[in-house]
Amino acid sequence: MISLPTPPSRAPRRHRPSTVQRALTTSAAAAALAAVPGAPAVAGLPLHAAAPAVATPRVVPAPASLRALSGVSFTLTRRTRIVVRPGADRAGTYLAAILRRSTGYPLPISRTGGTAGAIALSLTGGGGGEAYRLSVRRDAVRLSSGTPTGLFRGLQTLRQLLPPAVESATVRPGPWSVPGVEVDDAPRFAWRGTMLDVARHFFTVAQVKRYIDTAALYKINVLHLHLSDDQGWRIAIPGWPRLASYGGSTAVGGGPGGHYTERDFAEIVRYAAQHYMTVVPEIDGPGHTNAALASYAKLNCDGHAPPLYTGTDVGFSSLCIGKPVTYEFLDAVLGRLAKLTPGPYLHIGGDEAMSTKPADYAEYLRRVAAIVRRHGKTLSGWADIGAATVPRGSIAQYWQPAKGSEKGTETARAAVRKGARLVMSPADHAYLDMKYTASTPLGQDWAGLVEVRDAYAWDPGTLLDGVTDKDVAGVEAPLWTETIVTDRNIDYMTLPRLPAVAEIGWTPQTGRSWNDFRVRLAAQGPRWTALGRAFYRSPQVPWPAR
Ligand code: TNX
């Protein structure tokens, strides 16, 4: 554990009662209920059948529709094949890699042959986008989708239907049974993101990949990388070498920092794409820019470079709005990132510009929006941008606590009026760096304490007055890393809250309830252990005995 100076407090800590639980109304909820021990069996089937040899389906995020087939299961054996129809090869390879590792079975992939006894993956209809259908019967597992993305999402459901030991990196004994189900699934929101702050502390390519692995299991599809801040600049930019070599040379607490070369960054983008995740790179400005200002004296209005900064204050730095070199710098940086990033978005930050005059902030936004457009990308920024230029179709990321930040809510509404859609990251629900309880050793508490239930029990479509589902692109859980240094630190703060936010983004609101979620979440614990993930054993969750 590291010890840090107490970060500046932004708002008094509030303990809020959790949102009222919603009624279980969908087939998803009903199926999940049937999965709870002691709940009635599926209609028409005997209540006291032989003791089930397979686990009940406990999937996170809850599928839009899941029907458990009582008494039915598929068992993976040494002879099981993976049959891939045209276009499903990648999905087959991905699944085989996971299953071979822990089962030790050969699991050959074949493009021909029938589905009997097989896991069959096909790209046949099943709707567009990320929708998929999964049928587990005694004779076969059949997964289909209109897209490879949907197949990949469906494979995450299949993983969670297998015993937790399937996630083990070494061969385990089995048996490998999958409960019979009919799943018909599609996400509520298109943007289901997580942000990793690689600026306050640097995380290597291997660490980012490990984070992608965790997030992919919960159908997260956006990886937002916070690449620059006061404490560090993390990406090499041609023509501006000191940004990375000097601006990237330290971190909060004075550690060695680090940065990504273009190859490193390309490798992250490639790995994310393999997991059907879009990378959204963020270069924060005009505030949160001390690392850049320290690297180049000419970026400062007075021509003097400040020293590198390793503390945790915010709001003290600003780019020089009136200098042409500021926009040469932004053009070089955003132009490079536009080239390196296949996704449509460039995130320009824009938060907490407390050292920039409002008129200067507006001028900055106008200029930066033009640069983003010139490089063919869509602008994304923290919702503070609502006070300035927001091109139609932009993404504004709401970050302030849901309650008690009228100004933040108003700028978010202004962004919507200007034609942006919101990504919802309310700090008192979605911030993965908030402490769970007063005694959580890591994290901050300026937005309050965020237990698992607080992370789960909110609805992005009703959280802010005047903002409804159609204004919302989705949700994102940011992990700021002032106090986060190691993989274990990352695991502890993200698990179990990232799956909670992932379910908010995926599952229809009518299919969600805290009491149902906590039971399904509990079933993830042994999976995390098998995956080598440390997690917070929240007392709100009925974890199985160790
Ligand atoms: C606020 S939220 C910030 C970050 C900090 C974070 C810590 C936002 C857009 N800015 O600079 O890291 O709080 O919780």
Side-chain angles (χ1 to χ4, degrees):
M1 239 33 63
I2 54 162
S3 75
L4 287 161
T6 313
S9 132
R10 289 153 212 255
R13 179 187 302 168
R14 292 165 303 103
H15 295 270
R16 301 188 323 95
S18 297
T19 313
V20 178
Q21 213 183 288
R22 274 153 214 279
L24 293 168
T25 50
T26 63
S27 52
L33 184 65
V36 176
V42 174
L45 291 165
L47 269 171
H48 300 289
V54 291
T56 44
R58 289 187 183 155
V59 180
V60 175
S65 161
L66 181 152
R67 192 159 62 89
L69 308 176
S70 185
V72 174
S73 67
F74 175 87
T75 302
L76 218 72
T77 71
R78 191 163 295 291
R79 290 182 310 282
T80 304
R81 291 166 306 122
I82 297 175
V83 176
V84 293
R85 302 303 180 206
D89 301 64
R90 254 177 80 185
T93 309
Y94 173 83
L95 178 65
I98 293 172
L99 298 182
R100 284 174 189 155
R101 220 170 34 179
S102 49
T103 65
Y105 299 157
L107 293 157
I109 302 176
S110 73
R111 293 188 173 162
T112 55
T115 55
I119 301 176
L121 311 176
S122 55
L123 266 188
T124 53
E130 299 181 275
Y132 69 91
R133 275 173 199 259
L134 174 65
S135 160
V136 178
R137 299 290 174 119
R138 196 166 289 127
D139 68 317
V141 172
R142 295 179 185 85
L143 174 65
S144 64
S145 170
T147 65
T149 312
L151 284 182
F152 186 81
R153 305 291 178 240
L155 288 178
Q156 307 312 320
T157 302
L158 178 57
R159 274 171 87 175
Q160 291 187 25
L161 293 172
L162 279 150
V166 79
E167 302 299 345
S168 169
T170 53
V171 175
R172 302 288 299 274
W176 305 104
S177 294
V178 190
V181 286
E182 291 289 345
V183 175
D184 192 351
D185 201 8
R188 174 181 177 188
F189 291 114
W191 186 305
R192 304 177 311 280
T194 186
M195 186 205 81
L196 185 61
D197 170 9
V198 298
R200 268 53 176 272
H201 281 100
F202 180 67
F203 297 92
T204 63
V205 173
Q207 289 180 299
V208 175
K209 287 183 178 180
R210 187 177 180 280
Y211 192 56
I212 290 172
D213 289 341
T214 306
L217 188 47
Y218 298 100
K219 303 184 171 79
I220 292 290
N221 67 354
V222 172
L223 176 69
H224 168 182
L225 290 175
H226 185 74
L227 289 168
S228 67
D229 212 302
D230 291 318
Q231 299 87 346
W233 184 280
R234 306 300 181 203
I235 177 99
I237 302 293
W240 296 78
R242 271 176 66 81
L243 290 170
S245 67
Y246 184 69
S249 67
T250 191
V252 167
H259 69 269
Y260 306 121
T261 63
E262 289 197 5
R263 271 181 69 174
D264 291 338
F265 191 78
E267 179 59 14
I268 291 172
V269 166
R270 188 195 63 79
Y271 195 78
Q274 230 176 39
H275 294 74
Y276 298 90
M277 253 179 231
T278 301
V279 171
V280 176
E282 177 186 352
I283 294 296
D284 207 345
H288 290 277
T289 43
N290 190 76
L293 296 167
S295 305
Y296 287 95
K298 63 184 174 185
L299 290 176
N300 296 269
C301 282
D302 65 3
H304 291 293
L308 293 170
Y309 180 71
T310 60
T312 59
D313 282 350
V314 300
F316 61 88
S317 55
S318 179
L319 289 168
C320 188
I321 308 304
K323 273 190 169 181
V325 69
T326 297
Y327 306 98
E328 288 163 29
F329 154 81
L330 285 171
D331 191 60
V333 171
L334 295 174
R336 199 66 204 163
L337 280 170
K339 285 218 169 56
L340 293 174
T341 309
Y345 304 103
L346 288 181
H347 198 303
I348 55 83
D351 58 313
E352 301 179 313
M354 282 101 92
S355 299
T356 316
K357 292 194 199 87
D360 283 354
Y361 183 81
E363 168 70 2
Y364 181 85
L365 250 290
R366 199 178 59 72
R367 306 274 310 252
V368 83
I371 294 171
V372 169
R373 189 179 54 238
R374 197 162 60 244
H375 290 290
K377 297 292 184 182
T378 299
L379 183 132
S380 160
W382 298 105
D384 314 43
I385 64 173
T389 303
V390 185
R392 294 200 77 75
S394 302
I395 294 290
Q397 187 168 5
Y398 181 82
W399 61 272
Q400 273 148 331
K403 296 262 161 56
S405 34
E406 278 66 32
K407 191 153 171 278
T409 317
E410 190 38 50
T411 38
R413 275 193 292 266
V416 169
R417 280 196 301 275
K418 292 174 182 177
R421 283 187 313 145
L422 300 179
V423 164
M424 298 296 289
S425 306
D428 49 354
H429 297 287
Y431 266 29
L432 300 174
D433 69 319
M434 290 298 122
K435 290 176 182 290
Y436 294 97
T437 70
S439 58
T440 302
L442 301 167
Q444 308 204 36
D445 62 7
W446 65 264
L449 300 173
V450 180
E451 247 291 1
V452 182
R453 185 172 183 157
D454 302 307
Y456 184 76
W458 59 284
D459 176 1
T462 58
L463 193 73
L464 304 184
D465 286 343
V467 170
T468 60
D469 264 51
K470 69 170 178 9
D471 307 319
V472 175
V475 293
E476 191 173 296
L479 181 58
W480 299 101
T481 59
E482 285 94 333
T483 67
I484 309 300
V485 182
T486 63
D487 286 338
R488 287 185 72 81
N489 293 167
I490 292 179
D491 293 351
Y492 188 80
M493 299 308 267
T494 50
L495 300 173
R497 289 182 294 197
L498 180 59
V501 177
E503 176 154 313
I504 293 171
W506 182 278
T507 307
Q509 184 65 20
T510 48
R512 300 206 292 119
S513 92
W514 163 252
N515 273 338
D516 168 41
F517 176 68
R518 61 200 279 276
V519 173
R520 285 180 289 107
L521 188 61
Q524 307 300 307
R527 284 173 201 284
W528 297 334
T529 302
L531 281 164
R533 299 292 191 273
F535 64 98
Y536 165 58
R537 289 190 165 265
S538 167
Q540 299 182 329
V541 179
W543 307 108
R546 271 182 271 197

